[in-house]
Amino acid sequence: LIAHFTCNAVFGRELQLGRCRLVLDDHPCPDARVSFFLFTRANPIEGQQVEIGLRGKNSISLSHYNSSRPSKILIHGYNGHKYLDLLMDIKTEYLLEGDYNVLTVDWRSLSARPCYPLAAINTKHAGKCVAHFIRQLLMLTTDQIHLIGFSLGAHVAASAAMHLRPIKVARITDPMSCDHHRSLMYFAESIRSVAGFWGWPCSNMAAYLQFRCPPRGAPCLMGANTPNTSRGFCLVYTAESPPYALGRWTSNNTRWNNRILPEKWNPKQIDSNLIV
């Protein structure tokens, strides 16, 4: 394996190992390899590439961006891209639910297969560029910005939050369940779900793994509509097929009656039907 170290005015310092690329901490932003695409109700299918502070064809001032709307920023993970089906489902649900600016972050060239270890490190740089974009965005809009990162995209969101300090975005979400990809399906459904993904509190992950968290305590709502005041660790049991939301677990509804948990849970059931 041959390693190449480069340094140039456009991309700064980086290390290339075969097809894999590592960008170093002093790498400048904006970076063309971390790009942003806007979806709105005026363009729900094809995203508009947007840039801030430039006068070219991709200037955000020439797009459908509306500074009075809340903004949702979706970030794909390892080996993903801006049109990842599951992220597009979330985008579609948000546009059906309300009038939002939905932006997707495309950092595919820094997160491509088979380069997971370097992609994980590159989340720091991608996050720095997301933070750079948000700082400029805040000059145009209110502070209603919600970051949603999937898989390594959640690390990008965390890096962005770190680079934004002392500025805080309104919300950061990492959709997570025992089924890594199904978590995005759950989150997408939760945006407009009438029943809701209701769960129960659990003290910690260790208690969950030891099956010491049966349904009890105050119900907690999970997903897109989780209150900002919510704290702690909750478990949500779901249906095996859409619609996944079962509603309040304390309710005496038919769907919950059909999904009653046994006294000793089956680990396979937990893996496929619990949101943590």
Side-chain angles (χ1 to χ4, degrees):
L1 183 64
I2 300 176
H4 296 280
F5 178 80
T6 61
C7 181
N8 61 65
V10 177
F11 289 141
R13 298 192 305 158
E14 59 185 45
L15 183 67
Q16 186 164 348
L17 300 169
R19 290 186 293 166
C20 303
R21 191 180 302 273
L22 171 67
V23 293
L24 303 181
D25 288 344
D26 62 349
H27 210 283
C29 292
D31 182 338
R33 296 168 300 182
V34 183
S35 51
F36 302 84
F37 293 80
L38 172 70
F39 298 84
T40 68
R41 285 183 167 180
N43 63 307
I45 305 300
E46 189 68 28
Q48 295 176 300
Q49 185 171 359
V50 292
E51 299 170 343
I52 302 175
L54 300 178
R55 296 183 179 181
K57 64 179 181 178
N58 294 331
S59 171
I60 198 167
S61 63
L62 301 178
S63 73
H64 293 295
Y65 178 80
N66 187 325
S67 61
S68 65
R69 302 175 188 142
S71 295
K72 307 290 183 179
I73 301 179
L74 312 181
I75 310 172
H76 69 76
Y78 174 58
N79 203 42
H81 53 83
K82 66 179 182 293
Y83 286 120
L84 186 70
D85 288 347
L86 294 174
L87 289 183
M88 289 296 96
D89 290 343
I90 293 174
K91 173 267 298 179
T92 298
E93 288 297 317
Y94 269 125
L95 293 180
L96 290 172
E97 191 265 340
D99 198 3
Y100 295 103
N101 302 302
V102 180
L103 294 129
T104 61
V105 180
D106 195 334
W107 62 295
R108 73 176 83 182
S109 65
L110 302 180
S111 60
R113 187 176 292 170
C115 312
Y116 186 89
L118 299 190
I121 299 173
N122 287 341
T123 59
K124 297 179 181 179
H125 171 65
K128 181 170 72 172
C129 291
V130 171
H132 178 271
F133 181 85
I134 290 175
R135 284 183 183 276
Q136 294 181 304
L137 195 64
L138 287 171
M139 298 178 185
L140 307 175
T141 186
T142 64
D143 61 354
Q144 300 180 74
I145 295 176
H146 180 187
L147 284 172
I148 303 165
F150 169 63
S151 183
L152 283 185
H155 295 254
V156 174
S159 173
M162 181 188 70
H163 284 287
L164 279 169
R165 292 174 180 169
I167 298 171
K168 292 184 178 180
V169 295
R171 186 177 176 189
I172 299 176
T173 298
D174 172 13
M176 182 181 72
S177 80
C178 295
D179 186 319
H180 198 49
H181 287 82
R182 188 177 283 195
S183 62
L184 291 182
M185 300 179 192
Y186 296 154
F187 188 83
E189 183 183 320
S190 75
I191 294 169
R192 295 190 301 136
S193 174
V194 175
F197 287 81
W198 290 89
W200 58 91
C202 181
S203 57
N204 52 51
M205 178 64 80
Y208 155 66
L209 293 174
Q210 295 169 17
F211 311 109
R212 293 191 286 108
C213 290
R216 63 187 175 193
C220 45
L221 179 63
M222 303 292 281
N225 298 308
T226 301
N228 288 338
T229 55
S230 295
R231 298 291 184 273
F233 185 89
C234 290
L235 303 181
V236 179
Y237 202 62
T238 71
E240 294 182 344
S241 59
Y244 295 109
L246 295 175
R248 287 179 178 265
W249 60 270
T250 53
S251 299
N252 187 25
N253 64 59
T254 303
R255 299 196 75 210
W256 253 105
N257 287 341
N258 292 336
R259 302 297 297 162
I260 291 177
L261 294 174
E263 291 185 6
K264 291 186 178 180
W265 300 353
N266 182 327
K268 290 184 178 180
Q269 285 182 314
I270 293 174
D271 285 346
S272 62
N273 297 116
L274 270 178
I275 302 173
V276 181

